Protein backbone atom coordinates (compact mmCIF):
# COMPACT_ATOMS: atom_id res chain seq x y z
CA UNK A 1 0.00 0.00 0.00
CA UNK A 2 1.43 3.36 -1.04
CA UNK A 3 1.25 6.28 1.36
CA UNK A 4 1.81 9.83 0.14
CA UNK A 5 2.44 12.67 2.59
CA UNK A 6 2.54 16.22 1.28
CA UNK A 7 4.06 19.38 2.70
CA UNK A 8 1.96 21.98 4.46
CA UNK A 9 -0.12 24.90 3.27
CA UNK A 10 1.56 27.88 1.62
CA UNK A 11 0.65 31.54 1.18
CA UNK A 12 2.46 33.35 -1.61
CA UNK A 13 2.45 36.78 -3.20
CA UNK A 14 1.61 37.15 -6.88
CA UNK A 15 4.71 36.64 -9.02
CA UNK A 16 6.41 34.36 -6.48
CA UNK A 17 7.13 30.64 -6.77
CA UNK A 18 5.93 27.77 -4.62
CA UNK A 19 7.31 24.29 -4.08
CA UNK A 20 5.21 21.42 -2.78
CA UNK A 21 6.72 18.10 -1.76
CA UNK A 22 5.24 14.61 -1.67
CA UNK A 23 7.02 11.80 0.18
CA UNK A 24 6.02 8.25 -0.60
CA UNK A 25 6.35 5.13 1.49
CA UNK A 26 5.46 1.54 0.84
CA UNK A 27 6.95 1.73 -2.63
CA UNK A 28 9.87 3.54 -4.25
CA UNK A 29 9.51 6.36 -6.75
CA UNK A 30 11.14 4.25 -9.43
CA UNK A 31 8.28 1.75 -9.19
CA UNK A 32 5.59 4.36 -9.75
CA UNK A 33 4.62 7.23 -12.01
CA UNK A 34 4.06 10.40 -9.96
CA UNK A 35 1.64 13.13 -11.02
CA UNK A 36 0.19 16.40 -9.80
CA UNK A 37 -3.48 17.35 -9.92
CA UNK A 38 -4.93 20.61 -8.68
CA UNK A 39 -8.38 21.74 -7.60
CA UNK A 40 -9.36 25.40 -7.36
CA UNK A 41 -11.89 26.28 -4.63
CA UNK A 42 -15.29 24.86 -5.54
CA UNK A 43 -14.01 23.60 -8.89
CA UNK A 44 -13.09 20.29 -10.51
CA UNK A 45 -9.87 18.35 -10.87
CA UNK A 46 -7.15 19.43 -13.28
CA UNK A 47 -4.06 17.38 -14.18
CA UNK A 48 -1.04 19.67 -14.45
CA UNK A 49 2.00 17.41 -14.90
CA UNK A 50 3.93 14.30 -13.93
CA UNK A 51 6.12 11.52 -15.21
CA UNK A 52 5.23 9.44 -18.26
CA UNK A 53 4.33 5.97 -16.95
CA UNK A 54 6.05 4.26 -19.86
CA UNK A 55 9.39 6.03 -20.11
CA UNK A 56 9.58 8.19 -16.98
CA UNK A 57 9.99 11.43 -18.94
CA UNK A 58 8.44 14.55 -17.44
CA UNK A 59 5.18 15.61 -19.07
CA UNK A 60 3.19 18.81 -18.53
CA UNK A 61 -0.20 20.17 -19.47
CA UNK A 62 0.53 22.65 -22.28
CA UNK A 63 -0.80 25.66 -20.38
CA UNK A 64 1.77 25.10 -17.61
CA UNK A 65 4.79 24.64 -19.88
CA UNK A 66 7.52 27.00 -18.79
CA UNK A 67 5.95 27.71 -15.43
CA UNK A 68 5.78 24.25 -13.86
CA UNK A 69 8.69 22.02 -12.87
CA UNK A 70 8.22 18.50 -11.56
CA UNK A 71 11.21 16.72 -10.09
CA UNK A 72 11.97 13.61 -8.06
CA UNK A 73 14.59 12.70 -5.48
CA UNK A 74 14.84 8.92 -5.63
CA UNK A 75 17.24 8.85 -2.67
CA UNK A 76 14.45 10.02 -0.37
CA UNK A 77 11.46 8.90 -2.48
CA UNK A 78 10.18 12.45 -2.53
CA UNK A 79 8.57 14.22 -5.47
CA UNK A 80 8.44 17.98 -5.89
CA UNK A 81 6.20 20.37 -7.80
CA UNK A 82 7.34 23.95 -8.33
CA UNK A 83 5.05 26.53 -9.91
CA UNK A 84 6.44 29.95 -10.73
CA UNK A 85 5.01 33.37 -11.65
CA UNK A 86 2.05 32.70 -9.39
CA UNK A 87 -1.23 34.50 -9.96
CA UNK A 88 -4.47 34.51 -8.03
CA UNK A 89 -5.93 31.87 -10.36
CA UNK A 90 -3.31 29.42 -9.08
CA UNK A 91 -4.96 29.38 -5.68
CA UNK A 92 -5.92 25.73 -5.30
CA UNK A 93 -5.34 22.49 -3.46
CA UNK A 94 -2.49 20.61 -5.12
CA UNK A 95 -2.54 16.81 -4.90
CA UNK A 96 0.20 14.36 -5.73
CA UNK A 97 -1.09 11.07 -7.10
CA UNK A 98 0.50 7.86 -8.30
CA UNK A 99 -0.11 5.88 -11.44
CA UNK A 100 1.06 2.32 -12.06
CA UNK A 101 4.11 2.14 -14.29
CA UNK A 102 3.85 0.24 -17.58
CA UNK A 103 0.91 -1.69 -18.94
CA UNK A 104 -1.14 1.30 -20.05
CA UNK A 105 -2.79 1.82 -16.65
CA UNK A 106 -3.76 5.47 -17.06
CA UNK A 107 -5.43 6.09 -13.71
CA UNK A 108 -4.41 7.57 -10.37
CA UNK A 109 -4.71 4.90 -7.70
CA UNK A 110 -3.22 6.59 -4.65
CA UNK A 111 -3.37 10.25 -3.62
CA UNK A 112 -1.69 12.56 -1.14
CA UNK A 113 -3.77 14.53 1.32
CA UNK A 114 -3.48 17.75 -0.67
CA UNK A 115 -1.65 21.03 -0.09
CA UNK A 116 -3.49 24.35 -0.16
CA UNK A 117 -1.60 27.06 -2.02
CA UNK A 118 -3.05 30.54 -1.61
CA UNK A 119 -1.85 33.35 -3.87
CA UNK A 120 -2.73 36.72 -2.43
CA UNK A 121 -1.16 40.10 -1.90
CA UNK B 1 -8.90 19.25 -26.71
CA UNK B 2 -10.97 16.34 -25.45
CA UNK B 3 -13.99 17.29 -23.33
CA UNK B 4 -15.78 15.08 -20.82
CA UNK B 5 -19.27 16.23 -19.85
CA UNK B 6 -21.02 15.21 -16.65
CA UNK B 7 -24.36 16.38 -15.24
CA UNK B 8 -23.73 18.78 -12.34
CA UNK B 9 -25.95 16.91 -9.92
CA UNK B 10 -27.86 13.69 -9.36
CA UNK B 11 -30.25 13.02 -6.50
CA UNK B 12 -31.15 9.53 -5.36
CA UNK B 13 -33.04 7.97 -2.47
CA UNK B 14 -31.29 5.50 -0.16
CA UNK B 15 -31.49 1.97 -1.46
CA UNK B 16 -32.05 3.06 -5.05
CA UNK B 17 -29.58 3.01 -7.95
CA UNK B 18 -27.71 6.11 -9.09
CA UNK B 19 -26.49 6.26 -12.68
CA UNK B 20 -23.85 8.88 -13.44
CA UNK B 21 -22.98 9.61 -17.04
CA UNK B 22 -19.78 10.86 -18.64
CA UNK B 23 -20.08 12.00 -22.23
CA UNK B 24 -17.22 12.31 -24.71
CA UNK B 25 -16.63 11.91 -28.43
CA UNK B 26 -16.27 8.16 -29.05
CA UNK B 27 -15.47 7.63 -25.39
CA UNK B 28 -16.21 3.94 -25.90
CA UNK B 29 -12.78 3.63 -27.55
CA UNK B 30 -11.04 4.87 -24.41
CA UNK B 31 -10.49 3.48 -20.92
CA UNK B 32 -12.59 5.41 -18.42
CA UNK B 33 -11.79 5.75 -14.74
CA UNK B 34 -14.03 7.07 -11.95
CA UNK B 35 -13.17 8.83 -8.69
CA UNK B 36 -15.21 9.62 -5.60
CA UNK B 37 -14.34 12.78 -3.66
CA UNK B 38 -15.90 13.70 -0.33
CA UNK B 39 -15.64 17.27 1.02
CA UNK B 40 -12.16 18.14 2.24
CA UNK B 41 -10.70 14.81 1.15
CA UNK B 42 -8.56 13.54 -1.68
CA UNK B 43 -10.24 11.65 -4.54
CA UNK B 44 -10.53 7.88 -4.31
CA UNK B 45 -10.45 5.60 -7.36
CA UNK B 46 -13.69 3.58 -7.43
CA UNK B 47 -13.66 2.14 -10.96
CA UNK B 48 -10.75 1.75 -13.39
CA UNK B 49 -10.60 0.68 -17.02
CA UNK B 50 -14.35 1.12 -17.55
CA UNK B 51 -15.52 -1.55 -15.11
CA UNK B 52 -12.76 -2.83 -12.80
CA UNK B 53 -13.12 -2.27 -9.08
CA UNK B 54 -9.97 -1.61 -7.03
CA UNK B 55 -9.47 -3.63 -3.89
CA UNK B 56 -11.76 -2.44 -1.10
CA UNK B 57 -14.39 -0.84 -3.32
CA UNK B 58 -17.86 -2.32 -2.75
CA UNK B 59 -19.51 -4.36 -5.50
CA UNK B 60 -22.28 -1.76 -5.47
CA UNK B 61 -20.03 0.36 -7.72
CA UNK B 62 -19.95 -0.71 -11.35
CA UNK B 63 -19.08 0.87 -14.66
CA UNK B 64 -19.80 0.54 -18.35
CA UNK B 65 -18.66 2.35 -21.47
CA UNK B 66 -19.97 2.38 -25.03
CA UNK B 67 -20.37 4.81 -27.89
CA UNK B 68 -20.27 8.37 -26.61
CA UNK B 69 -21.22 7.67 -22.99
CA UNK B 70 -19.60 6.00 -20.00
CA UNK B 71 -21.72 5.25 -16.94
CA UNK B 72 -20.95 4.72 -13.27
CA UNK B 73 -23.74 2.91 -11.44
CA UNK B 74 -24.08 2.88 -7.69
CA UNK B 75 -26.63 0.32 -6.53
CA UNK B 76 -28.28 0.20 -3.10
CA UNK B 77 -27.15 3.78 -2.50
CA UNK B 78 -26.13 4.67 1.05
CA UNK B 79 -25.86 8.03 2.77
CA UNK B 80 -22.09 7.54 2.77
CA UNK B 81 -22.06 7.58 -1.04
CA UNK B 82 -22.88 11.27 -1.06
CA UNK B 83 -19.89 12.88 -2.78
CA UNK B 84 -18.58 14.37 -6.00
CA UNK B 85 -17.75 11.89 -8.75
CA UNK B 86 -15.32 12.53 -11.61
CA UNK B 87 -14.64 10.52 -14.74
CA UNK B 88 -11.18 10.58 -16.32
CA UNK B 89 -9.51 9.40 -19.52
CA UNK B 90 -6.14 9.67 -21.20
CA UNK B 91 -6.09 11.54 -24.49
CA UNK B 92 -2.82 12.08 -26.34
CA UNK B 93 -4.22 14.94 -28.42
CA UNK B 94 -5.42 17.01 -25.48
CA UNK B 95 -3.69 19.94 -23.82
CA UNK B 96 -4.18 17.99 -20.60
CA UNK B 97 -3.07 14.43 -21.40
CA UNK B 98 -5.10 13.16 -18.48
CA UNK B 99 -8.57 14.67 -18.79
CA UNK B 100 -11.12 14.87 -15.99
CA UNK B 101 -14.83 15.34 -16.39
CA UNK B 102 -16.63 18.30 -14.90
CA UNK B 103 -17.87 16.27 -11.96
CA UNK B 104 -21.29 15.20 -10.62
CA UNK B 105 -22.51 15.93 -7.12
CA UNK B 106 -24.50 12.96 -5.81
CA UNK B 107 -27.04 13.86 -3.16
CA UNK B 108 -28.71 11.13 -1.15
CA UNK B 109 -32.21 12.30 -0.27
Amino acid sequence: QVQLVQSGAEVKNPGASVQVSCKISGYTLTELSMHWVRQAPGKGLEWIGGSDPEDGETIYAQRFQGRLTVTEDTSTDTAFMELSSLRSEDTAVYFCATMPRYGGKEYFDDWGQGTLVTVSS
Amino acid sequence: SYVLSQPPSVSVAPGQTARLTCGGNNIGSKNVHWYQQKPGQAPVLVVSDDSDRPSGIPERFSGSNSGNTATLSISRVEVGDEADYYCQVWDSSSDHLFVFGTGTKVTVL
Side-chain angles (χ1 to χ4, degrees):
Chain A
Q1 181 75 8
V2 179
Q3 291 194 329
L4 295 82
V5 178
Q6 299 183 222
S7 50
E10 302 268 8
V11 179
K12 296 292 183 181
N13 290 323
S17 297
V18 68
Q19 184 182 72
V20 177
S21 68
C22 174
K23 179 167 177 58
I24 72 166
S25 58
Y27 279 80
T28 65
L29 268 178
T30 56
E31 296 175 287
L32 300 167
S33 172
M34 181 66 76
H35 294 263
W36 296 87
V37 175
R38 78 178 188 178
Q39 186 171 38
K43 302 297 185 181
L45 302 171
E46 178 182 27
W47 175 82
I48 63 173
S51 66
D52 188 304
E54 296 301 320
D55 61 18
E57 293 296 310
T58 305
I59 48 178
Y60 299 112
Q62 277 190 4
R63 61 189 289 239
F64 294 98
Q65 290 273 6
R67 212 163 63 91
L68 176 66
T69 304
V70 170
T71 57
E72 297 179 355
D73 181 347
T74 54
S75 68
T76 60
D77 288 318
T78 304
F80 300 91
M81 182 281 299
E82 182 169 356
L83 189 61
S84 62
S85 302
L86 289 168
R87 31 206 189 235
S88 59
E89 310 89 87
D90 294 317
T91 293
V93 175
Y94 289 76
F95 295 99
C96 59
T98 60
M99 179 175 290
R101 286 206 71 180
Y102 315 115
K105 300 298 183 184
E106 309 140 350
Y107 52 79
F108 307 103
D109 53 1
D110 287 287
W111 295 68
Q113 82 275 21
T115 296
L116 176 62
V117 174
T118 303
V119 182
S120 173
S121 55
Chain B
S1 199
Y2 195 78
V3 176
L4 293 173
S5 300
Q6 299 182 249
S9 62
V10 166
S11 297
V12 59
Q16 299 302 303
T17 297
R19 292 181 177 83
L20 285 61
T21 59
C22 176
N25 184 35
N26 197 26
I27 196 174
S29 67
K30 300 181 180 296
N31 294 320
V32 180
H33 320 293
W34 292 88
Y35 303 86
Q36 175 194 69
Q37 186 182 32
K38 296 181 179 179
Q41 298 184 19
V44 172
L45 180 70
V46 293
V47 166
S48 63
D49 293 328
D50 297 341
S51 59
D52 291 341
R53 268 188 319 278
S55 173
I57 301 301
E59 291 183 7
R60 302 185 297 105
F61 289 83
S62 62
S64 62
N65 183 20
S66 178
N68 293 318
T69 305
T71 303
L72 174 70
S73 298
I74 310 171
S75 61
R76 302 183 300 283
V77 165
E78 302 174 357
V79 171
D81 298 330
E82 190 163 285
D84 294 323
Y85 291 82
Y86 295 91
C87 56
Q88 176 252 312
V89 300
W90 177 80
D91 183 82
S92 62
S93 66
S94 285
D95 169 39
H96 294 74
L97 295 173
F98 299 96
V99 181
F100 286 95
T102 49
T104 296
K105 167 68 175 176
V106 170
T107 300
V108 181
L109 301 169

